[in-house]
Amino acid sequence: MLDLNGDMLPDLQTANGMHLKRPPVGRPAGQSITLGADIIKRSLVAQAGAEVIIYEDPTELMATGTGGEPLLVEKPTYFVTIESAPFATVANGLEVGVSSLPISRAKIFVDDGLGQGPKTGTLTYMVRYEFTRAYMKSYPDFTDQIMHSFTQGLADTADALLLGAIAAGTPQPAVNDVAQPNLPLQAFSLGDAAAKNVRFDELRALIGTNAAGAAVGQDGVLRASGVRGELTPAIAPTIVGAFSRAAIMIRSSVDVYAERVSVNPLSGSMAVTAVAALQPLTPDLSRFWTAA
């Protein structure tokens, strides 16, 4: 069991300095970080402003009466976005109109713990490696290198899952927990961003494989529709938006299974399988657009 909130990323360099792995960009020498922090550092959606929630299942002990057995009850948890209250002038003698609540939220779901699979919204992702004992021994710090592969893979999976949900125009219950219809994203314009009260500094572009609207300026900065961007293989279109209005949940516990799959003494093949749970949280898609 890997604890993304508590387990530390393996050291990148051995004590004698003989073996050096590729370090994350900007990591100070000698600094130790958790697996979850490394995922956040590597995630493109996190760099664009989205929340990456390394989520530990919350439970609360509840009594069932004076002589009853205590129960562990799941506590509802939400990702919430809040916008400005629409104040307006009201003439004397007139009633103020009723405004819609500027609060949107998406509930975080986790496994039900009963072996019935994930609840609605949570997706299970798995990866499996198989290798011989000789192959493992030919690589120094082989286990550490697999761990780095896991953190990079979880970051990439989080990017793909959240960007896919945004591109599909699939909002999770946004108004009073009532599901909203799918709405295709509209083409980006600065006027639309201004109308949605989005500041220019909030905007980021993640440029998919069709590179729509993307260009490198004379200053060497990559932009899409004038907005600073970054390349991603996760989607085809280019998404421009205020990514602080979206989040991705990664369950803090990642199950890892190591098993011997061959008893042949000459090969001694092993398999390592990792199982993770993720959920995109998109309560408000009105501040995301596609680049033409």
Side-chain angles (χ1 to χ4, degrees):
M1 183 79 72
L2 298 180
D3 179 7
L4 300 183
N5 283 325
D7 292 343
M8 308 304 290
L9 189 71
D11 290 337
L12 294 173
Q13 191 169 9
T14 56
N16 59 10
M18 292 297 294
H19 304 295
L20 179 67
K21 310 179 201 52
R22 181 177 65 86
V25 176
R27 171 176 170 167
Q31 181 185 14
S32 295
I33 60 176
T34 64
L35 299 177
D38 190 58
I39 293 170
I40 294 171
K41 178 182 290 188
R42 294 169 183 257
S43 168
L44 292 178
V45 294
Q47 294 173 23
E51 292 289 336
V52 177
I53 302 171
I54 308 298
Y55 185 75
E56 183 176 358
D57 304 354
T59 56
E60 184 176 2
L61 190 64
M62 300 288 290
T64 58
T66 56
E69 294 292 332
L71 299 176
L72 284 175
V73 180
E74 179 185 335
K75 298 174 64 176
T77 310
Y78 299 88
F79 171 70
V80 182
T81 64
I82 304 171
E83 305 301 335
S84 300
F87 284 95
T89 58
V90 179
N92 289 337
L94 297 181
E95 295 290 337
V96 62
V98 178
S99 300
S100 299
L101 282 172
I103 301 172
S104 302
R105 68 181 189 175
K107 185 177 180 180
I108 297 176
F109 291 98
V110 294
D111 293 344
D112 56 21
L114 299 176
Q116 303 299 320
K119 294 182 179 180
T120 303
T122 303
L123 299 175
T124 300
Y125 286 83
M126 304 176 68
V127 65
R128 180 181 178 92
Y129 297 131
E130 290 191 8
F131 44 86
T132 64
R133 183 172 57 186
Y135 185 88
M136 180 177 64
K137 289 184 175 181
S138 68
Y139 277 81
D141 306 319
F142 184 73
T143 304
D144 292 356
Q145 295 177 45
I146 289 181
M147 293 290 288
H148 283 272
S149 172
F150 285 166
T151 58
Q152 179 65 66
L154 284 172
D156 291 345
T157 303
D159 291 345
L161 185 56
L162 182 56
L163 288 173
I166 294 173
T170 309
Q172 289 173 296
V175 180
N176 297 327
D177 295 331
V178 177
Q180 304 299 301
N182 289 11
L183 296 174
L185 301 185
Q186 302 299 310
F188 172 75
S189 73
L190 290 173
D192 285 344
K196 290 296 184 180
N197 196 22
V198 175
R199 298 183 180 182
F200 187 75
D201 285 346
E202 290 184 80
L203 292 171
R204 289 294 182 271
L206 288 179
I207 301 162
T209 54
N210 64 16
V216 179
Q218 294 183 353
D219 56 358
V221 176
L222 176 64
R223 296 181 176 89
S225 299
V227 176
R228 182 184 293 268
E230 185 54 89
L231 300 173
T232 175
I235 54 172
T238 296
I239 303 297
V240 180
F243 280 86
S244 60
R245 269 69 170 194
I248 183 77
M249 181 276 285
I250 305 176
R251 195 175 186 186
S252 63
S253 298
V254 176
D255 297 324
V256 179
Y257 302 91
E259 56 184 321
R260 189 168 183 176
V261 294
S262 172
V263 295
N264 187 332
L266 298 179
S267 62
S269 298
M270 286 191 62
V272 174
T273 306
V275 185
L278 297 89
Q279 179 192 357
L281 301 167
T282 54
D284 181 9
L285 291 178
S286 65
R287 289 163 175 82
F288 291 93
W289 300 268
T290 57

